[in-house]
Amino acid sequence: MNEKGLLYWIWVIFKNYWGYFVKGTVLTLEIAVIGTILGYFLGFAIGLVQATPVSKGDGGVKKVSFGILKPFTSVFVSVFRGTPMMVQAMVFYYGLKNAGIDISPFLASLI
C-alpha cells in the first residue's frame, strides 16, 4: 500500500460516490416503509383468518370460505417463515423472469 492511509481512501470513495450512498439510503427506506405497511395489512388479514373459529352453527359460506382460506394461509405462513428472505427475493426476481414475467427489482423487493 502506498503512503496514504486508509482514512484517506475512505474519504476519496465517499467524496466521489456520496450521491450513490444517498440514493441507496433513500431507496432502502422506501422499501422498508412500504414493505412494513403492506406486511402489516397482509399479516393482519392472515391472522384474522387463522384466528377465526368455525363452528357447526356457522353458515355454509363461512364454512366453505374458511375451509379454503385456512389451509392456504397455513401453507403461506409455513413457506414464508421457513425460507430465508434472500432466497425468497431471488426466487421472485429470477424465477418470475425465467417464467417470462418481467418485474422490476423494486417490485420484487416489495414482494
Side-chain angles (χ1 to χ4, degrees), residues 4-67:
K4 297 178 181 174
L6 178 64
L7 290 179
Y8 170 79
W9 290 110
I10 291 173
W11 173 251
V12 168
I13 291 171
F14 180 75
K15 185 174 76 170
N16 291 332
Y17 299 105
W18 69 273
Y20 293 112
F21 290 122
V22 171
K23 287 180 185 178
T25 301
V26 169
L27 182 63
T28 300
L29 290 173
E30 286 176 357
I31 291 170
V33 169
I34 294 169
T36 300
I37 292 169
L38 292 175
Y40 169 78
F41 286 112
L42 181 64
F44 185 75
I46 289 173
L48 282 177
V49 168
Q50 289 189 345
T52 303
V54 178
S55 61
K56 290 183 179 182
D58 292 333
V61 173
K62 181 178 178 182
K63 286 182 181 179
V64 170
S65 60
F66 277 90

